[in-house]
Amino acid sequence: MRGPWLGHPLHPLAVTVPIEAWLCSAVFDLVPGQEEPARRLVATGLAAVPVAVVLGLADYADLDRRQRRVGVAHAAANAVATTLFAVSYLARREGRLTRGKLPGAAGLAVASAAGALGGHLSYAQGAGAYRWQELADPAELAGADPAAPRDPA
């Protein structure tokens, strides 16, 4: 479920569906007469969230203490974004397009911040990096200074 057969975690792949669906919904919101595609894209993003959550939780188990703090903030921000998109969807479903666009735009902003936290977790803190690759010396990943750049090659 975590992606060892792929060589990296599956969570980063799974999150592209809600992110892109919600981003595209915002684009459709800018085009007159495209309310239905925008509503469907919001729904698609919401439907894809559970898979991303399950895969994220699976990855969370392997994080160290410092990474877990960022992981909790990442998850909390994503929960807020998902809630905003759920509110947006409900308003859109009831035909209140204007009331649906505002929480959708706010949800996209929060999802962007959550994505930045996820990127920090992956790139700056190395979460999930080189988890399944064979290393000549495992100390190449850990080292004395956890903030120092790592050279797994």
Side-chain angles (χ1 to χ4, degrees):
M1 185 159 82
R2 294 186 193 164
W5 49 271
L6 188 59
H8 61 79
L10 291 173
H11 177 71
L13 296 175
V15 301
T16 61
V17 176
I19 291 170
E20 297 308 321
W22 293 337
L23 182 61
C24 289
S25 74
V27 172
F28 276 109
D29 279 343
L30 299 174
V31 180
Q34 297 301 311
E35 294 81 13
E36 184 60 18
R39 185 192 63 78
R40 288 183 182 183
L41 284 163
V42 171
T44 299
L46 289 170
V49 164
V51 173
V53 169
V54 168
L55 293 172
L57 286 172
D59 288 342
Y60 182 82
D62 288 340
L63 300 180
D64 63 32
R65 185 180 201 183
R66 182 174 57 106
Q67 293 167 335
R68 284 183 179 208
R69 284 195 308 261
V70 176
V72 167
H74 170 67
N78 277 310
V80 170
T82 300
T83 300
L84 287 166
F85 276 105
V87 168
S88 173
Y89 176 77
L90 292 173
R92 291 166 190 268
R93 190 180 68 182
E94 294 172 2
R96 300 179 187 177
L97 178 62
T98 305
R99 291 188 183 184
K101 284 184 177 184
L102 185 58
L108 192 58
V110 174
S112 297
L117 287 168
H120 177 76
L121 186 60
S122 297
Y123 297 113
Q125 293 186 328
Y130 306 106
R131 184 180 299 161
W132 298 293
Q133 287 78 7
E134 294 292 325
L135 298 175
D137 179 11
E140 293 177 25
L141 284 182
D145 180 7
R150 291 167 174 86
D151 184 14

